[in-house]
Amino acid sequence: MDWFSRSARDLPWRQTRDPYAIWVSEIMLQQTRAETVRAYWNRWMGALPTIQAAARAKPERIHKLWEGLGYYSRVRNLQRAAQIIMAEHDGALPRDYETVLSLPGVGRYTAGAICSIAFNQPTPILDGNVIRVLSRLFALTGDPKRNPAREIFWTIAGEMVSTAGRQATAASNACSRSNQALMELGATVCLPRQPRCDLCPVARRCEARRLRRIAEFPQLPSRAPATRRRFAAFIAERGERFLVRQRPVGVANAHLWEFPNLELGASTDLHCAAEALLGGRPRLVEPVSCFQHSITRYRITLEVYRAEGKWDSRSALGSWLPKTDLRRLAFCAAHKRILGLLANPS
Ligand code: SF4
């Protein structure tokens, strides 16, 4: 905790005690690095500074504010939770751990982080960073994502935050600082591949270091092999309007917008695919760009084509919109790059 006081990064959500602001930061930080979250958090808090504002915002607005951050079910759950808090808790984030845990999008880790950081309660946290620190510090064996090892990790994390809470005065925010110190150590010093043990405040107590077996911890199972997938997206223009469509509820990236696209198989005919997606036989299909990106274990190649032809304006395949309108919509990250091509054609 002393090390944290000296070395903590200056992150905007650490300058506030507003439980809502801390909750938003914790949801954004799931699967996402603090440096990426910084700009999103500032923008969100500027646009929707209260739980009431988040509960009432239009779906397009919350998706636009989240655009590019990924894992969009997070923002929909955040809004549903805000609506529950308005309806059932008089607009104030509940302090009770079990109630926080029952909110949409809040798991054991996030509930622990909210209750400890916002309310200084001795609730443990256990994410990838904390798992790495604890597994090395105590040379803990076993897969930390599965029982029985998983519960051992939770128990140790719980004992650490409880001990910090018991030893400190109420004013010192010890539970909050203890948990944040653990997270910060994992994020900035006890790094996955090259831990900076020379800067580590607990190096002399680190069991994995003493045993010279740091690389063996944590004992995570090997990852499923990456799978390659190829998609084609089409830019179709009609009278300075472009065909886009909104992803339906129930699929990945639901509610977000995209250019018409499909997954390519070994024998996909691009002209036939364009005809089915755009509502007319294309006169020309020419490549304009190609992007690589990853979603979970998928390594995706997105080929972008410009299709020229006579398109069916009444087609129910999407919406024909001018560039000014497209800029107001929330697009999936890869399709946002296609939008960039329209703004800056090479
Ligand atoms: Fe991690 Fe090294 Fe510190 Fe051990 S000494 S906790 S391996 S940074």
Side-chain angles (χ1 to χ4, degrees):
M1 286 161 65
D2 289 343
W3 167 84
F4 180 69
S5 300
R6 291 192 309 273
S7 314
R9 288 168 296 174
D10 182 17
L11 299 171
W13 47 90
R14 288 183 174 158
Q15 313 302 329
T16 177
R17 298 297 306 276
D18 174 8
Y20 164 66
I22 291 166
W23 169 38
V24 171
S25 74
E26 285 302 327
I27 300 297
M28 287 186 170
L29 286 164
Q30 291 169 0
Q31 318 277 349
T32 312
R33 291 160 51 85
E35 290 311 321
T36 306
V37 166
R38 188 192 289 268
Y40 282 91
W41 185 88
N42 282 330
R43 203 151 51 101
W44 180 282
M45 293 307 298
L48 304 172
T50 61
I51 294 180
Q52 185 178 41
R56 287 186 179 167
K58 293 202 167 118
E60 307 87 68
R61 185 136 194 246
I62 60 167
H63 283 93
K64 188 67 184 169
L65 288 166
W66 211 269
E67 184 186 39
L69 206 48
Y71 301 98
Y72 294 92
S73 58
R74 291 184 296 176
V75 72
R76 291 188 287 279
N77 281 330
L78 180 62
Q79 183 171 53
R80 276 208 297 136
Q83 290 162 348
I84 290 170
I85 291 168
M86 292 307 297
E88 298 176 14
H89 303 285
D90 295 329
L93 191 68
R95 298 174 78 95
D96 169 60
Y97 173 84
E98 293 298 334
T99 312
V100 173
L101 186 62
S102 72
L103 294 171
V106 176
R108 200 170 168 184
Y109 164 80
T110 304
I114 291 169
C115 289
S116 62
I117 298 171
F119 306 127
N120 197 39
Q121 294 174 14
T123 48
I125 50 158
L126 193 66
D127 67 350
N129 285 329
V130 176
I131 283 173
R132 194 162 54 253
V133 173
L134 295 184
S135 68
R136 290 173 174 170
L137 192 51
F138 300 108
L140 296 175
T141 54
D143 177 357
K145 300 280 174 73
R146 289 176 183 276
N147 282 333
R150 184 167 175 266
E151 279 312 311
I152 293 171
F153 275 83
W154 275 108
T155 302
I156 292 175
E159 290 196 6
M160 290 183 83
V161 68
S162 298
T163 305
R166 275 199 302 276
Q167 289 179 350
T169 61
S172 66
N173 259 334
C175 299
S176 167
R177 287 172 50 235
S178 168
N179 274 352
Q180 290 193 73
L182 263 182
M183 291 193 259
E184 189 76 352
L185 193 59
T188 63
V189 174
C190 195
L191 302 172
R193 286 200 190 83
Q194 293 191 315
R196 302 158 77 189
C197 301
D198 50 328
L199 301 177
C200 179
V202 291
R204 281 195 295 165
R205 294 163 185 265
C206 178
E207 193 60 10
R209 184 166 186 253
R210 187 184 71 77
L211 297 168
R212 298 178 187 272
R213 290 173 51 199
I214 293 172
E216 292 175 37
F217 299 96
Q219 299 191 343
L220 295 164
S222 48
R223 288 192 182 167
T227 305
R228 295 195 178 281
R229 298 173 72 179
R230 259 178 82 218
F231 287 76
F234 297 97
I235 300 172
E237 186 175 356
R238 190 172 60 77
E240 299 195 354
R241 287 169 178 263
F242 297 87
L243 183 61
V244 289
R245 64 190 191 188
Q246 192 171 24
R247 291 178 67 78
V249 174
V251 303
N253 294 338
H255 294 282
L256 272 83
W257 290 79
E258 63 183 9
F259 289 84
N261 68 90
L262 84 166
E263 184 160 10
L264 295 173
S267 58
T268 305
D269 180 297
L270 273 179
H271 279 76
C272 291
E275 183 173 2
L277 288 167
L278 308 176
R281 185 76 185 162
R283 196 171 50 241
L284 173 78
V285 175
E286 62 171 0
V288 287
S289 194
C290 184
F291 305 129
Q292 311 286 339
H293 65 115
S294 295
I295 300 176
T296 59
R297 67 186 178 86
Y298 298 110
R299 305 289 168 264
I300 296 170
T301 302
L302 177 65
E303 300 169 9
V304 185
Y305 296 89
R306 187 180 302 282
E308 289 181 10
K310 252 185 168 306
W311 311 122
D312 177 3
S313 61
R314 294 158 303 165
S315 118
L317 299 168
S319 307
W320 291 92
L321 299 174
K323 279 187 212 172
T324 45
D325 286 3
L326 295 181
R327 283 191 210 106
R328 292 194 199 105
L329 303 176
F331 278 79
C332 332
H335 288 254
K336 179 97 176 164
R337 294 175 73 180
I338 302 178
L339 200 54
L341 292 176
L342 302 186
N344 309 299
S346 51

